[in-house]
PDB file of all heavy atoms in Angstrom:
ATOM      1  N   VAL N 108     -88.317 -59.951  14.221  1.00 45.00           N
ATOM      2  CA  VAL N 108     -88.922 -58.757  13.633  1.00 45.00           C
ATOM      3  C   VAL N 108     -89.482 -57.842  14.712  1.00 45.00           C
ATOM      4  O   VAL N 108     -89.322 -56.616  14.683  1.00 45.00           O
ATOM      5  CB  VAL N 108     -90.015 -59.161  12.620  1.00 45.00           C
ATOM      6  CG1 VAL N 108     -90.774 -57.932  12.138  1.00 45.00           C
ATOM      7  CG2 VAL N 108     -89.389 -59.901  11.458  1.00 45.00           C
ATOM      8  N   ALA N 109     -90.148 -58.450  15.709  1.00 44.00           N
ATOM      9  CA  ALA N 109     -90.713 -57.647  16.798  1.00 44.00           C
ATOM     10  C   ALA N 109     -89.619 -56.958  17.593  1.00 44.00           C
ATOM     11  O   ALA N 109     -89.760 -55.814  18.011  1.00 44.00           O
ATOM     12  CB  ALA N 109     -91.552 -58.546  17.722  1.00 44.00           C
ATOM     13  N   GLY N 110     -88.501 -57.676  17.802  1.00 49.00           N
ATOM     14  CA  GLY N 110     -87.394 -57.051  18.533  1.00 49.00           C
ATOM     15  C   GLY N 110     -86.813 -55.872  17.782  1.00 49.00           C
ATOM     16  O   GLY N 110     -86.502 -54.835  18.373  1.00 49.00           O
ATOM     17  N   ILE N 111     -86.660 -56.024  16.455  1.00 48.00           N
ATOM     18  CA  ILE N 111     -86.142 -54.913  15.655  1.00 48.00           C
ATOM     19  C   ILE N 111     -87.129 -53.746  15.670  1.00 48.00           C
ATOM     20  O   ILE N 111     -86.742 -52.573  15.775  1.00 48.00           O
ATOM     21  CB  ILE N 111     -85.871 -55.385  14.217  1.00 48.00           C
ATOM     22  CG1 ILE N 111     -84.740 -56.426  14.219  1.00 48.00           C
ATOM     23  CG2 ILE N 111     -85.506 -54.210  13.320  1.00 48.00           C
ATOM     24  CD1 ILE N 111     -84.484 -57.057  12.866  1.00 48.00           C
ATOM     25  N   ALA N 112     -88.416 -54.057  15.583  1.00 47.00           N
ATOM     26  CA  ALA N 112     -89.421 -52.991  15.591  1.00 47.00           C
ATOM     27  C   ALA N 112     -89.473 -52.276  16.937  1.00 47.00           C
ATOM     28  O   ALA N 112     -89.741 -51.073  17.004  1.00 47.00           O
ATOM     29  CB  ALA N 112     -90.800 -53.575  15.259  1.00 47.00           C
ATOM     30  N   ALA N 113     -89.210 -53.014  18.019  1.00 50.00           N
ATOM     31  CA  ALA N 113     -89.284 -52.420  19.352  1.00 50.00           C
ATOM     32  C   ALA N 113     -88.001 -51.739  19.767  1.00 50.00           C
ATOM     33  O   ALA N 113     -87.939 -51.148  20.838  1.00 50.00           O
ATOM     34  CB  ALA N 113     -89.637 -53.506  20.379  1.00 50.00           C
ATOM     35  N   ARG N 114     -86.970 -51.783  18.923  1.00 57.00           N
ATOM     36  CA  ARG N 114     -85.686 -51.189  19.301  1.00 57.00           C
ATOM     37  C   ARG N 114     -85.783 -49.691  19.611  1.00 57.00           C
ATOM     38  O   ARG N 114     -85.226 -49.230  20.601  1.00 57.00           O
ATOM     39  CB  ARG N 114     -84.660 -51.435  18.200  1.00 57.00           C
ATOM     40  CG  ARG N 114     -83.257 -50.994  18.561  1.00 57.00           C
ATOM     41  CD  ARG N 114     -82.291 -51.357  17.445  1.00 57.00           C
ATOM     42  NE  ARG N 114     -82.661 -50.725  16.193  1.00 57.00           N
ATOM     43  CZ  ARG N 114     -82.318 -49.478  15.848  1.00 57.00           C
ATOM     44  NH1 ARG N 114     -81.595 -48.750  16.677  1.00 57.00           N
ATOM     45  NH2 ARG N 114     -82.682 -48.981  14.690  1.00 57.00           N
ATOM     46  N   PRO N 115     -86.488 -48.886  18.797  1.00 62.00           N
ATOM     47  CA  PRO N 115     -86.608 -47.470  19.162  1.00 62.00           C
ATOM     48  C   PRO N 115     -87.316 -47.255  20.492  1.00 62.00           C
ATOM     49  O   PRO N 115     -86.949 -46.373  21.267  1.00 62.00           O
ATOM     50  CB  PRO N 115     -87.405 -46.872  17.992  1.00 62.00           C
ATOM     51  CG  PRO N 115     -87.188 -47.814  16.859  1.00 62.00           C
ATOM     52  CD  PRO N 115     -87.092 -49.178  17.490  1.00 62.00           C
ATOM     53  N   VAL N 116     -88.348 -48.078  20.765  1.00 61.00           N
ATOM     54  CA  VAL N 116     -89.071 -47.935  22.028  1.00 61.00           C
ATOM     55  C   VAL N 116     -88.167 -48.262  23.210  1.00 61.00           C
ATOM     56  O   VAL N 116     -88.099 -47.519  24.198  1.00 61.00           O
ATOM     57  CB  VAL N 116     -90.323 -48.838  22.020  1.00 61.00           C
ATOM     58  CG1 VAL N 116     -91.054 -48.736  23.357  1.00 61.00           C
ATOM     59  CG2 VAL N 116     -91.252 -48.460  20.872  1.00 61.00           C
ATOM     60  N   LEU N 117     -87.447 -49.382  23.095  1.00 64.00           N
ATOM     61  CA  LEU N 117     -86.534 -49.750  24.180  1.00 64.00           C
ATOM     62  C   LEU N 117     -85.395 -48.754  24.306  1.00 64.00           C
ATOM     63  O   LEU N 117     -84.947 -48.440  25.413  1.00 64.00           O
ATOM     64  CB  LEU N 117     -85.988 -51.163  23.922  1.00 64.00           C
ATOM     65  CG  LEU N 117     -87.021 -52.292  23.930  1.00 64.00           C
ATOM     66  CD1 LEU N 117     -86.359 -53.621  23.578  1.00 64.00           C
ATOM     67  CD2 LEU N 117     -87.709 -52.381  25.284  1.00 64.00           C
ATOM     68  N   GLY N 118     -84.925 -48.247  23.154  1.00 70.00           N
ATOM     69  CA  GLY N 118     -83.858 -47.242  23.207  1.00 70.00           C
ATOM     70  C   GLY N 118     -84.304 -45.986  23.910  1.00 70.00           C
ATOM     71  O   GLY N 118     -83.560 -45.421  24.728  1.00 70.00           O
ATOM     72  N   ASN N 119     -85.531 -45.530  23.632  1.00 70.00           N
ATOM     73  CA  ASN N 119     -86.043 -44.344  24.310  1.00 70.00           C
ATOM     74  C   ASN N 119     -86.272 -44.609  25.793  1.00 70.00           C
ATOM     75  O   ASN N 119     -86.080 -43.723  26.628  1.00 70.00           O
ATOM     76  CB  ASN N 119     -87.345 -43.882  23.646  1.00 70.00           C
ATOM     77  CG  ASN N 119     -87.098 -43.145  22.347  1.00 70.00           C
ATOM     78  OD1 ASN N 119     -86.120 -42.421  22.212  1.00 70.00           O
ATOM     79  ND2 ASN N 119     -87.979 -43.334  21.387  1.00 70.00           N
ATOM     80  N   PHE N 120     -86.706 -45.837  26.122  1.00 70.00           N
ATOM     81  CA  PHE N 120     -86.917 -46.180  27.533  1.00 70.00           C
ATOM     82  C   PHE N 120     -85.601 -46.121  28.304  1.00 70.00           C
ATOM     83  O   PHE N 120     -85.508 -45.534  29.391  1.00 70.00           O
ATOM     84  CB  PHE N 120     -87.539 -47.572  27.638  1.00 70.00           C
ATOM     85  CG  PHE N 120     -87.719 -48.044  29.055  1.00 70.00           C
ATOM     86  CD1 PHE N 120     -88.761 -47.563  29.831  1.00 70.00           C
ATOM     87  CD2 PHE N 120     -86.845 -48.961  29.608  1.00 70.00           C
ATOM     88  CE1 PHE N 120     -88.926 -47.995  31.143  1.00 70.00           C
ATOM     89  CE2 PHE N 120     -87.008 -49.398  30.910  1.00 70.00           C
ATOM     90  CZ  PHE N 120     -88.059 -48.913  31.682  1.00 70.00           C
ATOM     91  N   ILE N 121     -84.545 -46.714  27.732  1.00 76.00           N
ATOM     92  CA  ILE N 121     -83.235 -46.686  28.384  1.00 76.00           C
ATOM     93  C   ILE N 121     -82.691 -45.257  28.418  1.00 76.00           C
ATOM     94  O   ILE N 121     -82.101 -44.825  29.423  1.00 76.00           O
ATOM     95  CB  ILE N 121     -82.265 -47.627  27.654  1.00 76.00           C
ATOM     96  CG1 ILE N 121     -82.770 -49.076  27.774  1.00 76.00           C
ATOM     97  CG2 ILE N 121     -80.859 -47.511  28.222  1.00 76.00           C
ATOM     98  CD1 ILE N 121     -81.973 -50.076  26.971  1.00 76.00           C
ATOM     99  N   ALA N 122     -82.909 -44.498  27.344  1.00 76.00           N
ATOM    100  CA  ALA N 122     -82.464 -43.103  27.332  1.00 76.00           C
ATOM    101  C   ALA N 122     -83.186 -42.288  28.397  1.00 76.00           C
ATOM    102  O   ALA N 122     -82.591 -41.408  29.033  1.00 76.00           O
ATOM    103  CB  ALA N 122     -82.705 -42.494  25.945  1.00 76.00           C
ATOM    104  N   GLY N 123     -84.464 -42.596  28.613  1.00 76.00           N
ATOM    105  CA  GLY N 123     -85.202 -41.899  29.667  1.00 76.00           C
ATOM    106  C   GLY N 123     -84.624 -42.173  31.045  1.00 76.00           C
ATOM    107  O   GLY N 123     -84.526 -41.273  31.887  1.00 76.00           O
ATOM    108  N   MET N 124     -84.217 -43.416  31.285  1.00 77.00           N
ATOM    109  CA  MET N 124     -83.582 -43.741  32.561  1.00 77.00           C
ATOM    110  C   MET N 124     -82.251 -43.006  32.700  1.00 77.00           C
ATOM    111  O   MET N 124     -81.912 -42.502  33.788  1.00 77.00           O
ATOM    112  CB  MET N 124     -83.372 -45.252  32.660  1.00 77.00           C
ATOM    113  CG  MET N 124     -84.656 -46.068  32.589  1.00 77.00           C
ATOM    114  SD  MET N 124     -85.793 -45.701  33.951  1.00 77.00           S
ATOM    115  CE  MET N 124     -84.872 -46.354  35.332  1.00 77.00           C
ATOM    116  N   GLN N 125     -81.483 -42.921  31.610  1.00 79.00           N
ATOM    117  CA  GLN N 125     -80.219 -42.195  31.662  1.00 79.00           C
ATOM    118  C   GLN N 125     -80.442 -40.710  31.937  1.00 79.00           C
ATOM    119  O   GLN N 125     -79.720 -40.097  32.729  1.00 79.00           O
ATOM    120  CB  GLN N 125     -79.468 -42.364  30.340  1.00 79.00           C
ATOM    121  CG  GLN N 125     -78.903 -43.754  30.122  1.00 79.00           C
ATOM    122  CD  GLN N 125     -78.186 -43.862  28.791  1.00 79.00           C
ATOM    123  OE1 GLN N 125     -78.804 -44.018  27.743  1.00 79.00           O
ATOM    124  NE2 GLN N 125     -76.867 -43.767  28.828  1.00 79.00           N
ATOM    125  N   ILE N 126     -81.448 -40.136  31.303  1.00 79.00           N
ATOM    126  CA  ILE N 126     -81.735 -38.719  31.521  1.00 79.00           C
ATOM    127  C   ILE N 126     -82.192 -38.482  32.948  1.00 79.00           C
ATOM    128  O   ILE N 126     -81.858 -37.473  33.575  1.00 79.00           O
ATOM    129  CB  ILE N 126     -82.788 -38.245  30.506  1.00 79.00           C
ATOM    130  CG1 ILE N 126     -82.164 -38.164  29.110  1.00 79.00           C
ATOM    131  CG2 ILE N 126     -83.378 -36.898  30.896  1.00 79.00           C
ATOM    132  CD1 ILE N 126     -83.137 -37.808  28.021  1.00 79.00           C
ATOM    133  N   ALA N 127     -82.962 -39.425  33.513  1.00 77.00           N
ATOM    134  CA  ALA N 127     -83.449 -39.258  34.879  1.00 77.00           C
ATOM    135  C   ALA N 127     -82.308 -39.220  35.887  1.00 77.00           C
ATOM    136  O   ALA N 127     -82.347 -38.462  36.864  1.00 77.00           O
ATOM    137  CB  ALA N 127     -84.426 -40.387  35.226  1.00 77.00           C
ATOM    138  N   PHE N 128     -81.262 -40.012  35.659  1.00 78.00           N
ATOM    139  CA  PHE N 128     -80.180 -40.102  36.638  1.00 78.00           C
ATOM    140  C   PHE N 128     -79.023 -39.156  36.310  1.00 78.00           C
ATOM    141  O   PHE N 128     -78.497 -38.487  37.203  1.00 78.00           O
ATOM    142  CB  PHE N 128     -79.687 -41.543  36.737  1.00 78.00           C
ATOM    143  CG  PHE N 128     -80.663 -42.465  37.414  1.00 78.00           C
ATOM    144  CD1 PHE N 128     -81.431 -43.349  36.668  1.00 78.00           C
ATOM    145  CD2 PHE N 128     -80.834 -42.426  38.791  1.00 78.00           C
ATOM    146  CE1 PHE N 128     -82.343 -44.189  37.284  1.00 78.00           C
ATOM    147  CE2 PHE N 128     -81.749 -43.267  39.407  1.00 78.00           C
ATOM    148  CZ  PHE N 128     -82.498 -44.151  38.666  1.00 78.00           C
ATOM    149  N   SER N 129     -78.599 -39.087  35.052  1.00 80.00           N
ATOM    150  CA  SER N 129     -77.477 -38.202  34.711  1.00 80.00           C
ATOM    151  C   SER N 129     -77.923 -36.764  34.463  1.00 80.00           C
ATOM    152  O   SER N 129     -77.136 -35.834  34.638  1.00 80.00           O
ATOM    153  CB  SER N 129     -76.755 -38.736  33.475  1.00 80.00           C
ATOM    154  OG  SER N 129     -77.632 -38.778  32.357  1.00 80.00           O
ATOM    155  N   GLN N 130     -79.158 -36.569  34.036  1.00 82.00           N
ATOM    156  CA  GLN N 130     -79.788 -35.267  33.858  1.00 82.00           C
ATOM    157  C   GLN N 130     -79.007 -34.304  32.967  1.00 82.00           C
ATOM    158  O   GLN N 130     -78.589 -33.227  33.404  1.00 82.00           O
ATOM    159  CB  GLN N 130     -80.030 -34.630  35.230  1.00 82.00           C
ATOM    160  CG  GLN N 130     -81.024 -35.377  36.061  1.00 82.00           C
ATOM    161  CD  GLN N 130     -81.829 -34.461  36.955  1.00 82.00           C
ATOM    162  OE1 GLN N 130     -81.383 -33.406  37.340  1.00 82.00           O
ATOM    163  NE2 GLN N 130     -83.018 -34.890  37.305  1.00 82.00           N
ATOM    164  N   PRO N 131     -78.793 -34.648  31.706  1.00 87.00           N
ATOM    165  CA  PRO N 131     -78.276 -33.640  30.779  1.00 87.00           C
ATOM    166  C   PRO N 131     -79.291 -32.547  30.487  1.00 87.00           C
ATOM    167  O   PRO N 131     -78.934 -31.437  30.102  1.00 87.00           O
ATOM    168  CB  PRO N 131     -77.963 -34.458  29.527  1.00 87.00           C
ATOM    169  CG  PRO N 131     -78.893 -35.630  29.602  1.00 87.00           C
ATOM    170  CD  PRO N 131     -79.031 -35.942  31.063  1.00 87.00           C
ATOM    171  N   ILE N 132     -80.581 -32.868  30.654  1.00 89.00           N
ATOM    172  CA  ILE N 132     -81.646 -31.874  30.516  1.00 89.00           C
ATOM    173  C   ILE N 132     -82.606 -32.025  31.681  1.00 89.00           C
ATOM    174  O   ILE N 132     -82.714 -33.092  32.291  1.00 89.00           O
ATOM    175  CB  ILE N 132     -82.410 -32.025  29.183  1.00 89.00           C
ATOM    176  CG1 ILE N 132     -83.030 -33.421  29.081  1.00 89.00           C
ATOM    177  CG2 ILE N 132     -81.508 -31.731  28.006  1.00 89.00           C
ATOM    178  CD1 ILE N 132     -83.945 -33.586  27.882  1.00 89.00           C
ATOM    179  N   ARG N 133     -83.307 -30.924  31.980  1.00 87.00           N
ATOM    180  CA  ARG N 133     -84.319 -30.909  33.035  1.00 87.00           C
ATOM    181  C   ARG N 133     -85.516 -30.103  32.551  1.00 87.00           C
ATOM    182  O   ARG N 133     -85.427 -29.376  31.566  1.00 87.00           O
ATOM    183  CB  ARG N 133     -83.757 -30.294  34.323  1.00 87.00           C
ATOM    184  CG  ARG N 133     -82.666 -31.093  34.999  1.00 87.00           C
ATOM    185  CD  ARG N 133     -82.123 -30.337  36.200  1.00 87.00           C
ATOM    186  NE  ARG N 133     -81.484 -29.108  35.764  1.00 87.00           N
ATOM    187  CZ  ARG N 133     -80.179 -28.994  35.520  1.00 87.00           C
ATOM    188  NH1 ARG N 133     -79.392 -30.036  35.656  1.00 87.00           N
ATOM    189  NH2 ARG N 133     -79.668 -27.848  35.139  1.00 87.00           N
ATOM    190  N   ILE N 134     -86.607 -30.223  33.279  1.00 87.00           N
ATOM    191  CA  ILE N 134     -87.779 -29.412  32.971  1.00 87.00           C
ATOM    192  C   ILE N 134     -87.404 -27.934  33.093  1.00 87.00           C
ATOM    193  O   ILE N 134     -86.751 -27.521  34.050  1.00 87.00           O
ATOM    194  CB  ILE N 134     -88.937 -29.750  33.924  1.00 87.00           C
ATOM    195  CG1 ILE N 134     -89.364 -31.208  33.777  1.00 87.00           C
ATOM    196  CG2 ILE N 134     -90.134 -28.836  33.670  1.00 87.00           C
ATOM    197  CD1 ILE N 134     -89.907 -31.563  32.419  1.00 87.00           C
ATOM    198  N   ASP N 135     -87.794 -27.129  32.114  1.00 86.00           N
ATOM    199  CA  ASP N 135     -87.580 -25.680  32.067  1.00 86.00           C
ATOM    200  C   ASP N 135     -86.144 -25.307  31.746  1.00 86.00           C
ATOM    201  O   ASP N 135     -85.769 -24.136  31.854  1.00 86.00           O
ATOM    202  CB  ASP N 135     -88.026 -25.011  33.375  1.00 86.00           C
ATOM    203  CG  ASP N 135     -88.421 -23.549  33.167  1.00 86.00           C
ATOM    204  OD1 ASP N 135     -89.056 -23.269  32.141  1.00 86.00           O
ATOM    205  OD2 ASP N 135     -88.087 -22.705  34.015  1.00 86.00           O
ATOM    206  N   ASP N 136     -85.301 -26.256  31.358  1.00 89.00           N
ATOM    207  CA  ASP N 136     -83.951 -25.921  30.900  1.00 89.00           C
ATOM    208  C   ASP N 136     -84.034 -25.174  29.570  1.00 89.00           C
ATOM    209  O   ASP N 136     -84.932 -25.414  28.756  1.00 89.00           O
ATOM    210  CB  ASP N 136     -83.117 -27.192  30.721  1.00 89.00           C
ATOM    211  CG  ASP N 136     -82.296 -27.513  31.955  1.00 89.00           C
ATOM    212  OD1 ASP N 136     -82.275 -26.680  32.883  1.00 89.00           O
ATOM    213  OD2 ASP N 136     -81.680 -28.587  32.004  1.00 89.00           O
ATOM    214  N   VAL N 137     -83.077 -24.282  29.347  1.00 91.00           N
ATOM    215  CA  VAL N 137     -82.983 -23.550  28.083  1.00 91.00           C
ATOM    216  C   VAL N 137     -81.999 -24.287  27.184  1.00 91.00           C
ATOM    217  O   VAL N 137     -80.832 -24.470  27.543  1.00 91.00           O
ATOM    218  CB  VAL N 137     -82.519 -22.104  28.319  1.00 91.00           C
ATOM    219  CG1 VAL N 137     -82.339 -21.386  26.979  1.00 91.00           C
ATOM    220  CG2 VAL N 137     -83.530 -21.356  29.177  1.00 91.00           C
ATOM    221  N   LEU N 138     -82.465 -24.718  26.009  1.00 93.00           N
ATOM    222  CA  LEU N 138     -81.655 -25.521  25.102  1.00 93.00           C
ATOM    223  C   LEU N 138     -81.548 -24.850  23.736  1.00 93.00           C
ATOM    224  O   LEU N 138     -82.417 -24.070  23.341  1.00 93.00           O
ATOM    225  CB  LEU N 138     -82.266 -26.917  24.913  1.00 93.00           C
ATOM    226  CG  LEU N 138     -82.578 -27.750  26.158  1.00 93.00           C
ATOM    227  CD1 LEU N 138     -83.158 -29.087  25.728  1.00 93.00           C
ATOM    228  CD2 LEU N 138     -81.345 -27.939  27.011  1.00 93.00           C
ATOM    229  N   ILE N 139     -80.468 -25.200  23.039  1.00 92.00           N
ATOM    230  CA  ILE N 139     -80.343 -24.895  21.616  1.00 92.00           C
ATOM    231  C   ILE N 139     -80.322 -26.242  20.904  1.00 92.00           C
ATOM    232  O   ILE N 139     -79.348 -26.990  20.978  1.00 92.00           O
ATOM    233  CB  ILE N 139     -79.066 -24.107  21.315  1.00 92.00           C
ATOM    234  CG1 ILE N 139     -79.030 -22.807  22.123  1.00 92.00           C
ATOM    235  CG2 ILE N 139     -78.978 -23.814  19.827  1.00 92.00           C
ATOM    236  CD1 ILE N 139     -80.124 -21.832  21.748  1.00 92.00           C
ATOM    237  N   VAL N 140     -81.422 -26.560  20.219  1.00 93.00           N
ATOM    238  CA  VAL N 140     -81.573 -27.845  19.539  1.00 93.00           C
ATOM    239  C   VAL N 140     -81.872 -27.575  18.070  1.00 93.00           C
ATOM    240  O   VAL N 140     -82.840 -26.874  17.753  1.00 93.00           O
ATOM    241  CB  VAL N 140     -82.702 -28.682  20.176  1.00 93.00           C
ATOM    242  CG1 VAL N 140     -82.840 -30.008  19.453  1.00 93.00           C
ATOM    243  CG2 VAL N 140     -82.440 -28.899  21.649  1.00 93.00           C
ATOM    244  N   HIS N 141     -81.029 -28.113  17.202  1.00 90.00           N
ATOM    245  CA  HIS N 141     -81.188 -27.904  15.754  1.00 90.00           C
ATOM    246  C   HIS N 141     -81.239 -26.409  15.427  1.00 90.00           C
ATOM    247  O   HIS N 141     -82.009 -25.978  14.542  1.00 90.00           O
ATOM    248  CB  HIS N 141     -82.445 -28.602  15.237  1.00 90.00           C
ATOM    249  CG  HIS N 141     -82.404 -30.093  15.341  1.00 90.00           C
ATOM    250  ND1 HIS N 141     -81.428 -30.872  14.753  1.00 90.00           N
ATOM    251  CD2 HIS N 141     -83.218 -30.972  16.003  1.00 90.00           C
ATOM    252  CE1 HIS N 141     -81.657 -32.147  15.021  1.00 90.00           C
ATOM    253  NE2 HIS N 141     -82.714 -32.233  15.788  1.00 90.00           N
ATOM    254  N   GLY N 142     -80.449 -25.615  16.139  1.00 89.00           N
ATOM    255  CA  GLY N 142     -80.403 -24.180  15.884  1.00 89.00           C
ATOM    256  C   GLY N 142     -81.565 -23.396  16.448  1.00 89.00           C
ATOM    257  O   GLY N 142     -81.666 -22.183  16.222  1.00 89.00           O
ATOM    258  N   GLU N 143     -82.446 -24.044  17.195  1.00 92.00           N
ATOM    259  CA  GLU N 143     -83.620 -23.386  17.767  1.00 92.00           C
ATOM    260  C   GLU N 143     -83.419 -23.167  19.269  1.00 92.00           C
ATOM    261  O   GLU N 143     -82.961 -24.058  19.982  1.00 92.00           O
ATOM    262  CB  GLU N 143     -84.889 -24.214  17.541  1.00 92.00           C
ATOM    263  CG  GLU N 143     -85.249 -24.431  16.080  1.00 92.00           C
ATOM    264  CD  GLU N 143     -85.908 -23.206  15.474  1.00 92.00           C
ATOM    265  OE1 GLU N 143     -86.038 -22.189  16.187  1.00 92.00           O
ATOM    266  OE2 GLU N 143     -86.286 -23.275  14.286  1.00 92.00           O
ATOM    267  N   TRP N 144     -83.801 -21.966  19.743  1.00 91.00           N
ATOM    268  CA  TRP N 144     -83.739 -21.630  21.170  1.00 91.00           C
ATOM    269  C   TRP N 144     -85.088 -21.925  21.805  1.00 91.00           C
ATOM    270  O   TRP N 144     -86.126 -21.499  21.302  1.00 91.00           O
ATOM    271  CB  TRP N 144     -83.389 -20.150  21.339  1.00 91.00           C
ATOM    272  CG  TRP N 144     -83.237 -19.674  22.759  1.00 91.00           C
ATOM    273  CD1 TRP N 144     -82.084 -19.525  23.454  1.00 91.00           C
ATOM    274  CD2 TRP N 144     -84.282 -19.269  23.660  1.00 91.00           C
ATOM    275  NE1 TRP N 144     -82.323 -19.057  24.726  1.00 91.00           N
ATOM    276  CE2 TRP N 144     -83.676 -18.897  24.880  1.00 91.00           C
ATOM    277  CE3 TRP N 144     -85.672 -19.209  23.563  1.00 91.00           C
ATOM    278  CZ2 TRP N 144     -84.401 -18.449  25.989  1.00 91.00           C
ATOM    279  CZ3 TRP N 144     -86.400 -18.773  24.666  1.00 91.00           C
ATOM    280  CH2 TRP N 144     -85.770 -18.400  25.853  1.00 91.00           C
ATOM    281  N   GLY N 145     -85.086 -22.689  22.890  1.00 93.00           N
ATOM    282  CA  GLY N 145     -86.356 -22.986  23.540  1.00 93.00           C
ATOM    283  C   GLY N 145     -86.150 -23.565  24.928  1.00 93.00           C
ATOM    284  O   GLY N 145     -85.016 -23.797  25.372  1.00 93.00           O
ATOM    285  N   ARG N 146     -87.247 -23.794  25.616  1.00 92.00           N
ATOM    286  CA  ARG N 146     -87.244 -24.355  26.960  1.00 92.00           C
ATOM    287  C   ARG N 146     -87.882 -25.743  26.953  1.00 92.00           C
ATOM    288  O   ARG N 146     -88.822 -25.997  26.191  1.00 92.00           O
ATOM    289  CB  ARG N 146     -88.008 -23.458  27.941  1.00 92.00           C
ATOM    290  CG  ARG N 146     -87.327 -22.117  28.218  1.00 92.00           C
ATOM    291  CD  ARG N 146     -88.114 -21.300  29.234  1.00 92.00           C
ATOM    292  NE  ARG N 146     -87.463 -20.046  29.528  1.00 92.00           N
ATOM    293  CZ  ARG N 146     -86.547 -19.876  30.474  1.00 92.00           C
ATOM    294  NH1 ARG N 146     -86.195 -20.904  31.228  1.00 92.00           N
ATOM    295  NH2 ARG N 146     -85.985 -18.699  30.683  1.00 92.00           N
TER     296      ARG N 146
END
């Protein structure tokens, strides 16, 4: 149960490592997310 509950946390942790190295986004990048324009 704890492993299932912690899956989103671990998923975000691994996603953070992927973003740090592959960098699909960066600080101050201009994005269109869910139809919204923002930085």
Side-chain angles (χ1 to χ4, degrees):
V108 173
I111 295 174
R114 186 176 60 84
V116 178
L117 296 177
N119 283 325
F120 177 77
I121 296 174
M124 300 298 292
Q125 289 179 280
I126 288 176
F128 289 104
S129 61
Q130 294 213 333
I132 59 173
R133 293 176 296 266
I134 298 297
D135 206 40
D136 266 353
V137 176
L138 307 181
I139 302 295
V140 180
H141 295 302
E143 298 282 2
W144 182 98
R146 292 182 179 272

